[in-house]
Amino acid sequence: MSTQPATATTSPDEPLGISLSIDEEAKHSVIGEVPAEAVMDTYHLNVFYGDFHAVHDVNLQFGKNEITAMIGPSGCGKSTVLRCLNRMNDLIPGARVEGAINYHGQNIYAKGIDPIAVRQHIGMVFQKPNPFPKSIYDNIAYGPRVIGMKVDSMDDLVEGALRDAALWDEVKDKLKQSAFGLSGGQQQRLCIARTIATKPDVILMDEPCSALDPIATSKVEDLMMQLRKDYTIIVVTHNMQQAARVSDRTAFFTAKPDETTGNRTGLLVEFDLTKRLFSNPEDKRTEDYISGRFG
Amino acid sequence: MSAASAVAAQVVTSTLASGRSKDRDLRSILFLGALWLSLFFGVIVLVALIVDTAIKGSGRFDKELVTNYASIIFPETTGFKAGIFGSIWLMVCTAILAIPLGVMAATYLEEFADTNRWWNRVIEINLQNLAAVPSIVYGLLAVAVVAIVGFDEKGVLIGGAVALALLILPVIIITTREAIRAVPQDIRQASYGLGATTWQTTWRQVLPSAVPGIATGTILGLSRAIGEAAPLIIVGLGVSVLSVPEPGIAGLSDSATSLPNQIYNLANQSRPELATAASAAIILLLVMILGMNAIAILIRNKFTRSW
Amino acid sequence: MSEATTPAGPSHGTGLRAAIDLSHKVRPGEAAIKAVLLTSAIVSVAITVGIIVTLIQPIIDFFGEVPVGDFFATEGTYAVLPLVMGTLLVTVIALLLAVPLGLGAAMYLSEYASARARRWLKPTVELLAGVPSVVYGFFALQFVTPTLLQDIIGLEVNFTNSLAAGLVLGVMVLPTIASLAEDALSAVPMSMRQGSLAMGANRMQTTLRVVFPAALSGIAAAVVLGMSRAVGETMIVALAAGAQKKFDADVLTGHQAMTGYIAQTFGGENPVGSTPYNMAFAVAGTLFVMTLILNILSMIVVRRFRQAY
Ligand SMILES: Nc1ncnc2c1ncn2[C@@H]1O[C@H](COP(=O)(O)OP(=O)(O)OP(=O)(O)O)[C@@H](O)[C@H]1O
Ligand SMILES: [Mg+2]
């Protein structure tokens, strides 16, 4: 459908306007301090659902062993951007991506890239805890099994993942029981354990605490801080306190209605160190949002 | 979905309970009575049918009914051995032909095919139409298919099995698709998110969750097949047969008939003994079919999951 | 699936390329399975094509021997209209019985029965659809005609007659209509009922004046599908509606229906390629087209009804 050739090279005079540096092009976004070592970045990322332009021109960099938070009002495209990062949007009929997402220097949307391989490196935790209708043990073992991971002892791997997810003590006596018997918070930590069992590099989390009570939320937040040592985490959240508490950097998105169609297209407003973005936002819209003056 | 409708029904029940007094006027009561009658009319007919047939057939619930072949000369001991074995055989062959094919086609359409493509919508419409094609037309198709495969004789087991398999294939595909569609998207996302392939996700997550629904649809499809007589008449299985197909592959080209066809052949006979035997055979057939239906309903009600 | 234009941007990590292998893996098993599954799906399409191809050659042969006018005639050896009449007579009788009763049952299930009762009542009604048609045909012949129509009601009906066949056919399509109509009624949003009740209407008024009209197109689709089932049914008419080709509407006598004719032709000793044999295909083709039109009609109606909410 796309007429533009899929090229992996970029010359300075490409007619697509993608040769501009991020800072020049991203005039509509305030880009503050970017990470020194980025695991991933999005480059002029545009996402469409059919004819609907859902996200406009997002340029972001995700630092290694950092937690990056994405905040913004409902419908501004946070989940959309997140789902692009491991090509989960491929599963949505009609979804289309323009621009590039580079992961360790490879554009994961380039031709010849295997989305399945991408997802093996970039795991995902969803908003609603979604354990498989299987035992706790099998929930964890599923990922390593399907990706054909070489493991000496699956039991050890399961235990390790559950320990890393701070769930081991609570479930060690009922590994063979159905995961549906766990509480919502335990299920969500099980989903995190399931994700880290495949030893990914990056973990994407889409509002991982929105279905949880405050105690379960703080457990998951503690867990995120722990995991940060070994993983790069990108988290979408509606909870600004949570973003302020756990993240190193924050990206604030908003949705701008199109003058002619009235469709609300999401765009990146500001990206900076969390501390700075929350204490001293550059953009008026960011300031309004974090001070609660925005719906 | 069923959970949602259950909640909805509760809402309406409680809302309506408060307005009860308004429902006590004569017209409302007559209306409700009419609805009741409509609902129970079918049940009454079913009971009448079973009781009437059972009484008429009561003289023939004996061993000969299942161990003897059809006989006009000794109508008082005529039996349905050929039909019973034929029907069981037909059902097994139909299941082998139709279930894997139908489940695979449904799996492709739900999990692999791009639903946005025009040809997928064509397949969709096509299936709905196929499910409503008169069963007798499938008999005509089976004649052609069997001829292509190389069986020229009429009235052989494989011809009947092909006809019945073609007949229930759309039913199996449609119900399997519904069962697969009922598996929540969450499960698929979780699996894909871990780096599983489409087939791994389908085989290890989606299909196991869809098994009760697939089983229900399949049993209902087979119970429909076992009661069919019309397409079997077309492929020549309607005539009197005095043998049972040989076990194994060789049996596929043996002459066969089915229980419904044997019943059909007796229905027009004037000898009262034959009508009695047919009645007894009908009870036998109904026990088999209603039993299969009951199992299907039990599976459906037991495993209906509120995710 | 997602399509991407992929201009890879200048990236800081360029040196790390190939450190992680994201290239397409060849998964022969996966590809083989996909091919097998696709083949299965294609078979389902092939069936329709097969039906048309199967029907077409004998039909061409038939019209080579018999003028089209003799086929679409009300009398004569090769006239189809008497058969169409036979089919329509039993279908109309069946619908006269099944539509009011089916809709009544659907309204009870959807508007009055508790969720628990419905869970068991609906499958019970659906059980009626599970009774083989040969059994219904036998029942028409052995009970409805002699006991119900002749003894109890005292009608002067023939041994085979369209009335008995139509009534029993109605019982057979009743669950189809009830079940589909119930789906349509249940799909009406609860807020519409609440609105009506809040305005002081009682349950009967709400059902008849609010829910029923809102579900009308779904109900129409249910009736059309029930009709399509009645038209295509064979064994009841083959047994109970008789084998006389007649172009009249006297339901106390028998009329051969289209399906009955096909069954009779194939049940007898008509050699392959003979004119009666080919005529059976022409009749089957007519039947196929009739049911196809009914199905497409119901699909169009359903589509409109889906858009309603
Ligand atoms: N599968 C889809 N098909 C079509 N449009 C979609 C789809 N998913 C999201 N959208 C649209 O894209 C826009 C962005 O949605 P997205 O879910 O990414 O927002 P979000 O920022 O995550 O919102 P929330 O905070 O409510 O989760 C919305 O207008 C939404 O309606
Ligand atoms: Mg979201």
Side-chain angles (χ1 to χ4, degrees):
Chain A
M1 260 182 267
S2 80
T3 49
Q4 293 160 358
T7 48
T9 55
T10 319
S11 64
D13 42 27
E14 276 257 10
L16 299 170
I18 53 164
S19 57
L20 302 166
S21 80
I22 289 175
D23 310 270
E24 269 177 77
E25 170 65 16
K27 287 208 181 69
H28 54 270
S29 320
V30 179
I31 306 286
E33 196 174 320
V34 297
E37 190 188 351
V39 172
M40 296 187 83
D41 62 86
T42 70
Y43 185 79
H44 295 292
L45 178 71
N46 284 275
V47 191
F48 303 83
Y49 292 111
D51 294 334
F52 169 50
H53 195 170
V55 172
H56 174 69
D57 204 42
V58 170
N59 297 290
L60 274 176
Q61 298 177 27
F62 303 104
K64 188 167 161 56
N65 293 1
E66 286 187 0
I67 298 180
T68 306
M70 300 204 281
I71 61 170
S74 198
C76 66
K78 307 177 297 290
S79 301
T80 300
V81 170
L82 195 76
R83 280 198 300 264
C84 290
L85 296 177
N86 72 343
R87 294 195 59 173
M88 287 296 278
N89 266 350
D90 287 20
L91 305 177
I92 299 174
R96 191 161 52 85
V97 172
E98 284 178 11
I101 295 176
N102 297 299
Y103 169 64
H104 288 300
Q106 294 184 70
N107 177 7
I108 61 170
Y109 278 94
K111 234 187 192 147
I113 294 286
D114 190 356
I116 292 159
V118 169
R119 295 184 202 124
Q120 290 175 4
H121 290 94
I122 307 170
M124 190 150 194
V125 175
F126 300 84
Q127 179 169 1
K128 199 174 129 244
N130 56 353
F132 298 124
K134 291 176 183 271
S135 72
I136 293 169
Y137 185 98
D138 287 336
N139 261 277
I140 308 284
Y142 179 77
R145 280 180 189 147
V146 296
I147 68 173
M149 227 164 99
K150 295 195 178 47
V151 287
D152 298 331
S153 157
M154 188 58 85
D155 291 357
D156 291 347
L157 189 145
V158 170
E159 181 176 340
L162 285 168
R163 278 190 192 284
D164 287 350
L167 192 60
W168 174 251
D169 291 331
E170 290 159 66
V171 302
K172 62 172 185 272
D173 301 323
K174 43 183 181 181
L175 291 176
K176 295 291 170 201
Q177 290 174 25
S178 165
F180 284 2
L182 299 176
S183 73
Q186 289 173 325
Q187 287 187 10
Q188 193 60 304
R189 278 180 286 145
L190 178 71
C191 292
I192 295 175
R194 179 175 72 184
T195 305
I196 57 187
T198 57
K199 308 254 182 290
D201 186 14
V202 180
I203 302 176
L204 311 175
M205 298 184 175
D206 193 351
E207 303 187 37
C209 302
S210 66
L212 307 183
D213 66 34
I215 294 172
T217 299
S218 81
K219 282 190 179 164
V220 172
E221 284 180 11
D222 291 346
L223 176 56
M224 286 163 70
M225 308 285 262
Q226 286 287 318
L227 295 174
R228 181 168 164 271
K229 296 192 191 80
D230 301 308
Y231 303 91
T232 299
I233 297 177
I234 303 166
V235 58
V236 169
T237 176
H238 265 284
N239 180 337
M240 275 181 282
Q241 283 80 34
Q242 180 172 67
R245 272 194 303 266
V246 302
S247 71
D248 300 287
R249 260 169 248 274
T250 299
F252 170 65
F253 291 77
T254 195
K256 200 178 91 195
D258 186 298
E259 283 89 14
T260 49
T261 61
N263 285 334
R264 287 159 53 84
T265 298
L267 49 85
L268 175 64
V269 174
E270 188 161 356
F271 176 53
D272 208 339
L273 286 171
T274 299
K275 264 190 276 144
R276 198 174 304 159
L277 188 127
F278 276 92
S279 62
N280 197 1
E282 294 262 329
D283 195 293
K284 178 80 168 57
R285 289 168 291 181
T286 319
E287 194 183 331
D288 287 352
Y289 186 73
I290 59 176
S291 59
R293 258 172 288 174
F294 185 97
Chain B
M1 196 201 105
S2 68
S5 61
V7 170
Q10 258 148 28
V11 171
V12 84
T13 321
S14 55
T15 328
L16 294 165
S18 54
R20 183 136 271 171
S21 58
K22 280 186 240 139
D23 291 324
R24 292 250 171 93
D25 64 278
L26 186 64
R27 282 168 60 196
S28 289
I29 291 169
L30 285 178
F31 178 66
L32 182 58
L35 296 193
W36 251 92
L37 269 184
S38 315
L39 182 65
F40 285 97
F41 173 81
V43 180
I44 293 164
V45 174
L46 190 63
V47 170
L49 187 154
I50 291 174
V51 169
D52 176 64
T53 316
I55 291 170
K56 281 183 180 142
S58 58
R60 280 305 314 275
F61 291 122
D62 49 27
K63 202 167 104 279
E64 281 82 22
L65 192 76
V66 289
T67 56
N68 279 8
Y69 288 112
S71 163
I72 310 281
I73 306 160
F74 302 107
E76 54 289 331
T77 57
T78 186
F80 293 83
K81 186 176 178 185
I84 291 166
F85 278 85
S87 280
I88 292 171
W89 258 104
L90 281 168
M91 195 164 67
V92 171
C93 296
T94 304
I96 292 172
L97 287 174
I99 295 173
L101 192 63
V103 172
M104 287 195 299
T107 305
Y108 179 83
L109 294 173
E110 283 303 311
E111 299 294 311
F112 288 83
D114 180 349
T115 43
N116 277 358
R117 302 287 165 148
W118 65 268
W119 46 265
N120 267 307
R121 283 201 297 278
V122 170
I123 293 180
E124 180 95 43
I125 293 170
N126 188 25
L127 282 171
Q128 284 183 31
N129 274 318
L130 281 179
V133 168
S135 64
I136 197 162
V137 175
Y138 282 98
L140 298 172
L141 177 61
V143 171
V145 170
V146 172
I148 292 167
V149 177
F151 288 93
D152 280 339
E153 302 147 84
K154 280 193 94 185
V156 295
L157 184 72
I158 183 74
V162 167
L164 296 180
L166 292 172
L167 174 73
I168 66 167
L169 191 60
V171 180
I172 291 182
I173 294 176
I174 289 172
T175 50
T176 302
R177 289 185 76 172
E178 275 164 11
I180 289 177
R181 229 175 280 167
V183 176
Q185 201 60 24
D186 283 10
I187 301 285
R188 291 183 187 86
Q189 286 185 342
S191 177
Y192 285 120
L194 290 167
T197 64
T198 310
W199 174 244
Q200 285 169 332
T201 304
T202 305
W203 179 246
R204 297 181 186 222
Q205 300 295 350
V206 177
L207 287 179
S209 296
V211 160
I214 297 173
T216 307
T218 306
I219 296 172
L220 288 177
L222 282 178
S223 86
R224 181 170 166 208
I226 200 179
E228 276 291 346
L232 299 181
I233 293 176
I234 305 298
V235 293
L237 263 66
V239 294
S240 175
V241 171
L242 301 181
S243 62
V244 166
E246 223 178 283
I249 300 284
L252 293 180
S253 54
D254 285 351
S255 300
T257 187
S258 80
L259 194 50
N261 286 89
Q262 257 196 289
I263 292 168
Y264 172 63
N265 289 343
L266 293 187
N268 278 320
Q269 302 285 343
S270 51
R271 299 284 294 267
E273 295 92 340
L274 293 177
T276 305
S279 298
I282 283 175
I283 295 297
L284 195 66
L285 182 64
L286 282 179
V287 167
M288 285 162 79
I289 286 172
L290 298 185
M292 286 170 82
N293 275 270
I295 292 170
I297 291 164
L298 277 176
I299 293 176
R300 180 164 73 190
N301 281 356
K302 185 161 183 306
F303 290 94
T304 304
R305 209 184 211 139
S306 45
W307 290 92
Chain C
M1 295 285 125
S2 137
E3 294 255 343
T5 40
T6 53
S11 176
H12 20 257
T14 341
L16 277 164
R17 180 166 304 197
I20 294 168
D21 180 18
L22 297 179
S23 62
H24 250 295
K25 313 276 174 303
V26 183
R27 299 185 176 86
E30 184 97 6
I33 286 166
K34 192 174 171 183
V36 170
L37 298 181
L38 173 63
T39 313
S40 315
I42 290 172
V43 167
S44 80
V45 188
I47 292 176
T48 326
V49 181
I51 289 178
I52 294 165
V53 170
T54 316
L55 296 179
I56 240 145
Q57 188 56 46
I59 292 175
I60 292 172
D61 292 349
F62 175 73
F63 285 115
E65 294 158 45
V66 177
V68 178
D70 284 6
F71 183 65
F72 293 104
T74 54
E75 54 190 295
T77 324
Y78 301 118
V80 75
L81 293 185
L83 301 174
V84 175
M85 176 61 107
T87 295
L88 289 184
L89 274 183
V90 289
T91 303
V92 167
I93 296 169
L95 290 180
L96 286 177
L97 181 78
V99 170
L101 292 178
L103 297 188
M107 282 187 223
Y108 185 85
L109 287 172
S110 141
E111 305 302 309
Y112 287 83
S114 72
R116 252 182 78 209
R118 174 166 37 184
R119 218 164 114 113
W120 292 104
L121 283 173
K122 200 174 173 188
T124 311
V125 173
E126 283 168 355
L127 265 189
L128 274 179
V131 175
S133 57
V134 67
V135 173
Y136 279 123
F138 192 82
F139 183 64
L141 217 51
Q142 300 282 334
F143 178 81
V144 176
T145 296
T147 310
L148 187 68
L149 295 182
Q150 288 176 337
D151 293 354
I152 298 180
I153 303 183
L155 280 176
E156 297 269 328
V157 292
N158 291 1
F159 175 61
T160 54
N161 61 85
S162 298
L163 184 59
L167 289 175
V168 172
L169 193 57
V171 173
M172 204 195 85
V173 299
L174 196 161
T176 305
I177 294 178
S179 179
L180 292 172
E182 200 266 331
D183 291 342
L185 291 169
S186 298
V188 173
M190 206 45 64
S191 57
M192 292 182 73
R193 293 185 184 85
Q194 282 157 352
S196 163
L197 292 165
M199 280 163 55
N202 67 20
R203 230 201 287 209
M204 177 182 83
Q205 290 161 334
T206 305
T207 304
L208 288 177
R209 299 200 193 145
V210 177
V211 184
F212 188 84
L216 198 59
S217 49
I219 288 168
V223 172
V224 174
L225 270 185
M227 184 169 172
S228 147
R229 288 213 59 187
V231 166
E233 171 46 42
T234 305
M235 300 315 290
I236 293 175
V237 293
L239 279 170
Q244 301 108 284
K245 286 173 74 175
K246 289 202 295 140
F247 194 75
D248 64 43
D250 181 4
V251 296
L252 302 182
T253 61
H255 299 74
Q256 188 163 50
M258 302 166 77
T259 50
Y261 175 83
I262 303 169
Q264 190 200 24
T265 309
F266 277 85
E269 292 295 308
N270 289 296
V272 176
S274 65
T275 313
Y277 179 92
N278 288 341
M279 168 153 170
F281 280 86
V283 174
T286 315
L287 186 67
F288 181 69
V289 171
M290 280 169 71
T291 53
L292 196 68
I293 290 171
L294 288 174
N295 295 332
I296 290 171
L297 196 67
S298 82
M299 271 194 251
I300 291 169
V301 176
V302 165
R303 187 147 304 159
R304 276 190 41 206
F305 138 81
R306 278 214 187 110
Q307 280 166 357
Y309 320 115

